Amino acid sequence: MKEFPEIKVPLTQIYEMSLAPVQTNALVAGVELAIFDQLNKPIRAEELAEKCGFDARTTAEYLNVLTACELVTKKERVLPKQSGG
């Protein structure tokens, strides 16, 4: 029976690499749906959903994904402008 090769890459790096497609898809969706255009000031998920004509629950979940990907910053359940820029 063959032995597994020794992993020389930290598991955190492998984990981060596995998340790259999710982060890319979240970013592309945000650009295509003009979500980032609406985040120039703090806004609640429900307000964003109403303004854009999206489902409120799905919008809240999507914004949580953006937050987890560190594409936006969430404070006190309000999303202020996008980070990094």
Side-chain angles (χ1 to χ4, degrees):
M1 181 179 277
K2 281 188 168 184
E3 291 186 28
F4 283 107
E6 182 180 341
I7 297 176
K8 296 181 182 182
V9 178
L11 290 178
T12 54
Q13 185 177 351
I14 294 170
Y15 174 73
E16 288 171 2
M17 289 169 44
S18 73
L19 290 180
V22 174
Q23 294 169 328
T24 301
N25 289 338
L27 177 61
V28 169
V31 171
E32 288 180 352
L33 296 171
I35 297 291
F36 296 109
D37 296 342
Q38 305 298 322
L39 300 179
N40 58 351
K41 62 181 180 179
I43 188 168
R44 296 191 182 283
E46 300 81 19
E47 295 173 82
L48 180 63
E50 185 175 326
K51 193 173 189 179
C52 295
F54 302 146
D55 176 72
R57 183 174 177 180
T58 303
T59 301
E61 290 175 7
Y62 172 71
L63 292 174
N64 285 333
V65 170
L66 291 180
T67 302
C69 292
E70 298 180 353
L71 295 171
V72 298
T73 304
K74 183 163 50 167
K75 295 182 180 178
E76 299 178 24
R77 300 191 61 165
V78 176
L79 287 159
K81 73 176 198 169
Q82 58 214 43
S83 61

